[in-house]
Amino acid sequence: MKKQGRRGFLKSVALAGGAAASAPAQTAARATAASAAAGPCEDGLTAVAYPRKFTGRKLAMLAFPLGGVGAGSIALGGRGQLRDWEIYNRSEKGRSPSYAFPAIWVQAGDAKPLAHVLEARMLAPFEGRTGLGADNAPGLSRLEDATFTGEYPLATVAFHDSRLPVNVTLEAFSPFVPLDPEGSGLPVAVLRYRVKNPGKVAAKVAIAFAIDNPVIAEGGGANASSAARVNDFKTAEGLAGIFMHNPSLGAAAPRAGSFSVCVMDPEGGRVSHLSGWPKARWWTSPLLYWDDFSADGELGPEKGEHNGVGSLCLQRTIAGGAETEFTFLLAWHFPNRTPARMGWSSDTGFGDTVIGNHYCQRFADSWQAARYAAQKLPELEERMRQFLTAMRETTLPAAVREAAMANASTLATTTCFRTADGRFFGWEGSGCCHGNCDHVWNYETTTHHLFPTLARSMRETHLELSAKLDGAMPIRVNLPLDHQTGGAAAADGQMGQIVKAYFDWQLYGDTEWLRQWWPDIKKALEFAWIPGGWDANRDGVFEGVQHNTYDVEFYGPNPMCGIYYLAALRAGEEMARAVGESGAADGYRKLFEQGRQWIDQPVD
């Protein structure tokens, strides 16, 4: 297997979004087969097939994030179910509406129709004190099995069931296009069910999505008032759907917003809907819904009182041997992000300030987001698939491709978000350890190569804060930005951010950007020289007390922080020369040479 260095790998990923467009594409099947047939890597590691497939009990705990970069996410589980609804501006693993599931109805020729929840059967471990509980009506029939193929940003679930006269495969994704953070930042999830009729007679097929209106007050759950929630059926060109909102919530309520479940390209089929399930005692409502859907593959007519579970159905007739698509689009819009509610620790005293979401500045509500996504989807999906093809066809070991693409999915989780002003922020982990932590984000390079403007946004935020604090760069950025007055600096974190600024400049090639930020970069680098600082005597060696990524203090010279400093000096030299400050560049080079010689000396 041909070896490729780290630089070559990163370059191939960075250029994938553009280069793939001009490269002749192999078929997906050919590329996948070649990957699966790969033998052991040259380093002796066991080869991993790319893309990876999961079956059986391995499906139980999978969670594949669907959502735009920095725009919240809903996860797709291994069985084809929805889980982990993290669209409310904070990490909420395990949160889901009481009901959110698709169902399929099929009648082949004159045969008796049948209906199933369009998910594979439930698998242990059954989480929670109630076991299966009542959510999503676990007593309803589900499909026998499934195979899950994970290839971020695309997940494929092939359903298997001996009772179904049709073959069903789900493709789930959100647009993800390198170098295009706006096209990749939509608050939407696409769920496309491909249905093939292998028989000789035509089959009527209906797929319905039922979702309990998720726009509820903080702390609301299964018993949330249905009277306050409104599910409006709406149509637009190439789109039909249910717009879910809650007029009873004040505009400033933490979970005020909207959600839409839509079906794309309904022309040629029959759309029906329910603005709510029939209202009944206990758990009778799901059964009444099921009786309605399973009878004829349509919903309605509505009569009497109803609850908040909106349902949308599309029925099509599929000729023998033919295939068709049912494309559902989920969209959300929840603007009231605050530091306090999401747990972004802050000592500013302004934790309840709404800092918002960038996507909410682009769209007035979820229906507008859905309409935009539907219009742009053909173009965005084509570019996304070019990226996937580029990764499939590279000669990199499958294990490396899998690692690269799986880690890119972090950008679509609640680990990352964009505030209303467009700035990009990240936790150390989803909902844990706030602040664009500079020494932790030093380790990360995915954002640089896929979305360099977002990486630069992080840099600019750190540099602005550092300039305001006389060159000290706090490890963590508090929100709102205007109110931070201090914070501890980490030696490796601050020097690493200077190297990253060089990295930003080299990757993007924007010297005007470098000129704009150079005074702040220079100030942050020379902060190392303050009295009592890390290199107070300016000999190129860190001797001062150095807080670092291990959350401890290093005392005196050490290789880790010392090498970060040397790297920052060299990066500073190159940047200084580029902006015409040769004197500063010579000074940085002199310190680098002194420090390098000292740190490279062998120890007796």
Side-chain angles (χ1 to χ4, degrees):
M1 183 175 291
K2 182 180 177 181
K3 291 185 177 179
Q4 184 174 2
R6 177 176 178 274
R7 182 183 298 274
F9 162 65
L10 295 174
K11 181 178 179 181
S12 70
V13 174
L15 297 178
S22 61
Q26 298 176 352
T27 65
R30 177 181 171 190
T32 301
S35 174
C41 301
E42 290 183 355
D43 58 7
L45 296 175
T46 302
V48 174
Y50 180 82
R52 291 184 69 182
K53 295 181 182 293
F54 302 86
T55 59
R57 296 198 61 178
K58 294 179 180 178
L59 301 175
M61 303 304 290
L62 291 178
F64 186 102
L66 301 173
V69 174
S73 66
I74 299 172
L76 178 72
R79 301 184 294 105
Q81 84 280 21
L82 299 179
R83 54 176 294 175
D84 300 335
W85 286 53
E86 298 183 285
I87 57 178
Y88 306 106
N89 302 316
R90 65 179 180 184
S91 175
E92 295 186 283
K93 292 288 182 284
R95 173 176 282 281
S96 294
S98 299
Y99 300 100
F101 62 87
I104 187 169
W105 177 94
V106 185
Q107 184 178 30
D110 296 327
K112 182 179 179 180
L114 51 83
H116 301 282
V117 174
L118 191 44
E119 303 169 354
R121 62 187 177 87
M122 293 183 173
L123 299 167
F126 303 122
E127 302 172 73
R129 62 183 181 179
T130 59
L132 286 173
D135 289 358
N136 289 315
L140 294 178
S141 173
R142 283 165 167 78
L143 304 182
E144 293 171 351
D145 204 356
T147 299
F148 185 102
T149 302
E151 184 186 15
Y152 191 80
L154 177 68
T156 305
V157 183
F159 296 102
H160 315 298
D161 195 289
S162 59
R163 300 163 294 179
L164 273 185
V166 295
N167 301 324
V168 186
T169 300
L170 165 64
E171 287 186 337
F173 63 93
S174 295
F176 188 93
V177 182
L179 311 182
D180 185 356
E182 302 304 301
S184 304
L186 303 179
V188 300
V190 180
L191 301 165
R192 178 180 296 133
Y193 296 90
R194 298 186 185 276
V195 183
K196 183 174 184 179
N197 177 10
K200 296 182 179 180
V201 299
K204 289 183 179 179
V205 178
I207 295 180
F209 234 108
I211 296 179
D212 195 5
N213 183 323
V215 190
I216 56 179
E218 192 84 317
N223 298 319
S225 171
S226 59
R229 295 178 289 164
V230 178
N231 298 332
D232 293 324
F233 181 72
K234 305 183 74 168
T235 60
E237 184 178 355
L239 198 67
I242 299 176
F243 175 63
M244 300 179 169
H245 54 115
N246 189 338
S248 72
L249 294 180
R255 293 180 62 168
S258 62
F259 186 89
S260 294
V261 52
C262 312
V263 63
M264 290 180 56
D265 304 319
E267 297 79 7
R270 179 174 174 80
V271 175
S272 57
H273 75 281
L274 294 173
S275 56
W277 288 353
K279 196 170 185 178
R281 295 184 64 192
W282 297 98
W283 292 278
T284 308
S285 292
L287 301 182
L288 295 175
Y289 164 74
W290 197 251
D291 287 344
D292 180 5
F293 175 67
S294 60
D296 56 6
E298 295 184 19
L299 301 177
E302 287 184 308
K303 51 187 176 182
E305 291 187 88
H306 58 76
N307 62 19
V309 186
S311 305
L312 182 68
C313 177
L314 175 63
Q315 185 183 107
R316 296 188 188 278
T317 298
I318 307 175
E323 180 177 294
T324 193
E325 298 176 352
F326 298 74
T327 302
F328 288 84
L329 189 67
L330 309 182
W332 53 90
H333 186 277
F334 293 93
N336 294 333
R337 178 184 296 276
T338 66
R341 185 173 182 276
M342 67 176 174
W344 190 271
S345 299
S346 174
D347 59 4
T348 64
F350 294 86
D352 292 327
T353 301
V354 175
I355 55 177
N357 289 307
H358 177 61
Y359 77 82
C360 294
Q361 302 302 303
R362 301 176 62 192
F363 310 111
D365 54 36
S366 62
W367 180 253
Q368 190 180 98
R371 290 190 63 183
Y372 178 89
Q375 293 167 2
K376 295 292 185 180
L377 189 59
E379 173 202 345
L380 292 173
E381 183 177 354
E382 180 182 7
R383 293 164 64 197
M384 181 188 80
R385 289 184 182 273
Q386 290 171 356
F387 176 47
L388 285 167
T389 299
M391 185 56 74
R392 287 178 182 175
E393 294 179 356
T394 180
T395 58
L396 287 165
V400 175
R401 284 179 279 166
E402 160 65 17
M405 299 298 268
N407 279 289
S409 70
T410 301
L411 295 171
T413 70
T414 52
T415 299
C416 304
F417 61 95
R418 296 181 70 183
T419 48
D421 57 9
R423 290 178 186 259
F424 182 73
F425 293 88
W427 303 80
E428 291 188 36
S430 186
C432 174
C433 307
H434 78 289
N436 291 7
C437 181
D438 58 8
H439 52 63
V440 170
W441 279 83
N442 274 348
Y443 321 145
E444 185 269 344
T445 58
T446 298
T447 311
H448 286 275
H449 292 279
L450 297 184
F451 303 105
T453 56
L454 299 185
R456 292 200 312 183
S457 169
M458 276 194 159
R459 209 77 52 242
E460 292 164 3
T461 296
H462 275 300
L463 289 170
E464 282 182 2
L465 186 56
S466 172
K468 187 172 80 170
L469 300 177
D470 296 323
M473 185 179 292
I475 301 167
R476 303 185 187 279
V477 174
N478 290 337
L479 290 170
L481 288 174
D482 295 342
H483 300 284
Q484 186 164 355
T485 58
D492 54 345
Q494 182 151 337
M495 295 300 105
Q497 289 298 302
I498 293 160
V499 176
K500 285 244 177 176
Y502 172 76
F503 199 12
D504 294 327
W505 169 53
Q506 288 287 291
L507 280 176
Y508 214 61
D510 187 349
T511 301
E512 287 307 308
W513 176 85
L514 178 62
R515 290 184 192 281
Q516 177 186 351
W517 291 98
W518 171 245
D520 297 339
I521 296 169
K522 181 179 182 181
K523 195 171 187 178
L525 175 55
E526 296 181 1
F527 176 77
W529 306 341
I530 67 170
W534 300 317
D535 184 20
N537 61 356
R538 300 194 196 188
D539 64 352
V541 179
F542 270 10
E543 296 100 354
V545 180
Q546 302 146 61
H547 187 73
N548 60 80
T549 193
Y550 293 112
D551 294 333
V552 297
E553 275 50 54
F554 286 171
Y555 294 85
N558 63 88
M560 188 183 80
C561 293
I563 290 172
Y564 262 113
Y565 181 38
L566 295 180
L569 288 169
R570 278 290 290 118
E573 178 194 350
E574 295 297 325
M575 290 185 283
R577 294 198 191 285
V579 299
E581 291 196 15
S582 57
D586 291 343
Y588 299 149
R589 184 58 183 239
K590 179 180 178 182
L591 284 184
F592 167 78
E593 292 296 342
Q594 291 177 199
R596 179 188 63 78
Q597 292 173 13
W598 189 92
I599 207 166
D600 284 348
Q601 286 181 359
V603 178
D604 294 332

